[in-house]
Amino acid sequence: MSGRKPYGFRLRFPYGNRPPLAALALLALAATPAAAAEFPFCWRGANGYTMTGAIAFPDKLMGQGLVTEDDVTGFEITGYLDGTPVGRWSMDELTDETTWHLSFDPAELRFLTGGSFPGPQSQGWNANGEVSDCGKGGFGFNSGNWAQDLCIDGTWISDSSIPPATPFFASTVPVTPACGGAELLSKREPESPGTEVFR
């Protein structure tokens, strides 16, 4: 084998054979994962239905006006009826056929609700406007101009429905299936990103 480097190129540094410290620092930063803003949340539907979850996106987007599904790096939800799990979904299960629409205001830590689906004031997390495409054994959530409600096992759960414009906030503290810890979020200023919520 000739004296060529295995990949056909050779690094050349202007200061001899040793790279400058600044270049090493830049390489180290490039190899470090970007910091993520992570927030838990809890939604309280009607008739004992609730949903917990967590959202993550690059920390630099905290100053952006709107975070959408294209920005999200981690997302998961679990549904409950009277505290008993009834289904879960995460973006790890995303396919080309999955309904995946999200609008989040990072300044207010608020999921935007009350508008027509799909639109900037709506949500579709594995559930379309009919709230019926979460699949056999599946789980999803939708917020449009008719209601906020759940999909379980491919079926719209009308008993879970609440008014479409009901405020829906993320939290900076841990939440429970009964939505404990998230009670006063609409009455206080958002804090800095919460602790890690994805395990």
Side-chain angles (χ1 to χ4, degrees):
M1 182 175 174
S2 70
R4 292 179 62 194
K5 297 291 181 184
Y7 298 106
F9 64 87
R10 198 170 83 179
L11 291 175
R12 297 180 182 274
F13 298 104
Y15 306 106
N17 290 330
R18 290 175 51 186
L21 290 177
L24 287 176
L26 285 174
L27 287 172
L29 283 174
T32 304
E38 299 182 355
F39 301 98
F41 56 84
C42 191
W43 173 85
R44 182 183 285 116
N47 299 302
Y49 285 96
T50 60
M51 175 181 66
T52 61
I55 182 174
F57 50 86
D59 189 58
K60 65 182 181 181
L61 299 184
M62 284 300 296
Q64 184 170 294
L66 183 68
V67 169
T68 73
E69 66 276 6
D70 294 329
D71 303 312
V72 174
T73 56
F75 190 85
E76 59 190 24
I77 51 176
T78 302
Y80 302 87
L81 176 57
D82 297 326
T84 300
V86 293
R88 67 172 304 279
W89 181 79
S90 82
M91 65 180 290
D92 294 338
E93 304 166 58
L94 200 60
T95 71
D96 290 340
E97 283 73 47
T98 305
T99 297
W100 176 225
H101 175 72
L102 182 143
S103 296
F104 182 75
D105 181 341
E108 296 187 1
L109 300 186
R110 180 170 61 95
F111 294 101
L112 304 183
T113 59
S116 298
F117 178 85
Q121 304 281 329
S122 68
Q123 312 291 328
W125 311 338
N126 198 36
N128 60 8
E130 301 296 319
V131 204
S132 60
D133 70 339
C134 59
K136 183 175 176 59
F139 176 75
F141 170 81
N142 182 276
S143 173
N145 60 3
W146 176 262
Q148 297 177 27
D149 31 34
L150 301 178
C151 175
I152 300 175
D153 197 24
T155 302
W156 169 44
I157 307 301
S158 59
D159 281 353
S160 71
S161 299
I162 61 174
T166 304
F168 184 1
F169 289 89
S171 178
T172 58
V173 297
V175 297
T176 68
C179 293
E183 301 294 340
L184 301 177
L185 282 177
S186 63
K187 300 178 182 176
R188 69 179 183 190
E189 292 297 317
E191 301 171 17
S192 59
T195 56
E196 183 177 349
V197 290
F198 289 91
R199 301 287 183 253

